[in-house]
Amino acid sequence: MKNRGYGFSIKKGVDVSSNNSIAIIDLDQTYKIEDLNDIAAEFIYNQNFKYDLISGQRDINIENTSRIKIIGKTIINTLANFCFDEKIKDYNSGLRIFNKTKFIKHKHMMSDRFSLTTSMTITFLSENYDIKFKDIKYDTRTGNSKLKFKDFFRFVYTIFSLLFYYRSFKIIIPLLVPCLAAFLIFLTKDISANNLTDKTVILFNFNFLLIILLFIIDRINKIK
């Protein structure tokens, strides 16, 4: 049987599950079953199913994670926190409990691969679902990681596309503002010289396309 990916396997498991509260934990010995029990008690008994997602929050450092992964997590966390005005330090914990109904409703937006947990966190945040993070212990993994260098680019692409879809203004406006300013500067110079240059036309078209793109994404989000 072909390996369809980490996220695909979890989605299939959620589909056939009989309960509406789902717990997942990565079995690489980095997570503690005691923390899963604590989060389950928090989700079910202490909060009485108030939250749609309670995720473990790890302390990632050089002792338990490679430098490459730390760099990748830092990039994603910084970008996602900027888009959502949050201070979340762990978007992709593999130990979490969540609401099955809301997961299935949006699972088409989530990755079939290693970035499932990150895309789940971003999707739940975007839908304004109730989320809580609980500090957990995290040890060095046993065995060899299956993550390859190309998986990092797939991961970045998946997360960036989600952020672009859900928070397009946060992504595009920082690009649009300097481009629009450059267009106005060049346009002013061209008017003074009575000569419309190619770069001014290109900047106009680029800004126009960005504005149209923002409008389209905003319309899609309002009718989804």
Side-chain angles (χ1 to χ4, degrees), residues 18 36 52 60 112 162 216:
S18 57
L36 177 61
D52 301 305
I60 302 295
D112 284 343
L162 272 176
I216 292 173

Side-chain angles (χ1 to χ4, degrees), residues 14-216:
V14 172
D15 284 338
V16 301
S17 62
S18 57
N19 293 326
N20 199 44
S21 298
I22 307 295
I24 61 173
I25 181 172
D26 291 349
L27 297 180
D28 53 10
Q29 298 187 15
T30 55
Y31 299 97
K32 304 296 183 183
I33 195 66
E34 295 84 4
D35 286 325
L36 177 61
N37 292 333
D38 288 343
I39 290 180
E42 183 79 9
F43 190 88
I44 299 170
Y45 302 112
N46 298 350
Q47 301 298 336
N48 194 26
F49 303 99
K50 169 186 174 183
Y51 289 96
D52 301 305
L53 166 66
I54 297 184
S55 178
Q57 186 167 250
R58 302 164 294 174
D59 182 20
I60 302 295
N61 55 60
I62 195 62
E63 294 180 0
N64 54 39
T65 308
S66 68
R67 286 185 172 86
I68 293 296
K69 288 184 179 180
I70 289 177
I71 293 172
K73 290 175 187 294
T74 301
I75 293 172
I76 295 301
N77 289 356
T78 301
L79 181 58
N81 283 335
F82 169 74
C83 289
F84 291 104
D85 295 319
E86 295 283 353
K87 295 182 179 179
I88 299 168
K89 69 178 183 179
D90 189 6
Y91 277 82
N92 69 317
S93 170
L95 192 162
R96 54 184 57 205
I97 297 180
F98 53 90
N99 180 286
K100 173 184 176 179
T101 302
K102 293 182 177 178
F103 175 89
I104 289 179
K105 182 179 179 181
H106 304 287
K107 71 175 184 177
H108 63 284
M109 298 296 296
M110 302 177 198
S111 171
D112 284 343
R113 306 190 71 82
F114 290 105
S115 50
L116 170 94
T117 48
T118 308
S119 54
M120 184 199 306
T121 305
I122 289 174
T123 302
F124 275 43
L125 278 172
S126 302
E127 297 296 334
N128 294 316
Y129 291 154
D130 291 318
I131 300 176
K132 182 176 182 179
F133 295 88
K134 187 175 176 64
D135 289 337
I136 60 172
K137 297 176 182 178
Y138 188 67
D139 291 337
T140 304
R141 66 169 294 138
T142 58
N144 298 320
S145 174
K146 295 181 180 179
L147 281 172
K148 299 178 181 178
F149 193 67
K150 65 180 180 180
D151 290 318
F152 173 75
F153 293 100
R154 288 176 178 169
F155 179 80
V156 171
Y157 171 79
T158 300
I159 302 311
F160 187 83
S161 61
L162 272 176
L163 292 173
F164 189 82
Y165 175 74
Y166 282 118
R167 289 294 186 272
S168 54
F169 279 83
K170 283 278 192 173
I171 300 294
I172 295 179
I173 292 299
L175 177 63
L176 179 60
V177 170
C179 288
L180 187 58
F183 164 71
L184 293 174
I185 291 171
F186 285 119
L187 179 62
T188 302
K189 291 181 178 180
D190 288 353
I191 292 174
S192 300
N194 196 27
N195 178 36
L196 187 63
T197 59
D198 290 343
K199 58 179 173 289
T200 303
V201 175
I202 292 173
L203 281 169
F204 171 81
N205 290 332
F206 185 70
N207 283 296
F208 178 76
L209 289 174
L210 281 180
I211 293 170
I212 293 298
L213 183 60
L214 273 175
F215 176 79
I216 292 173

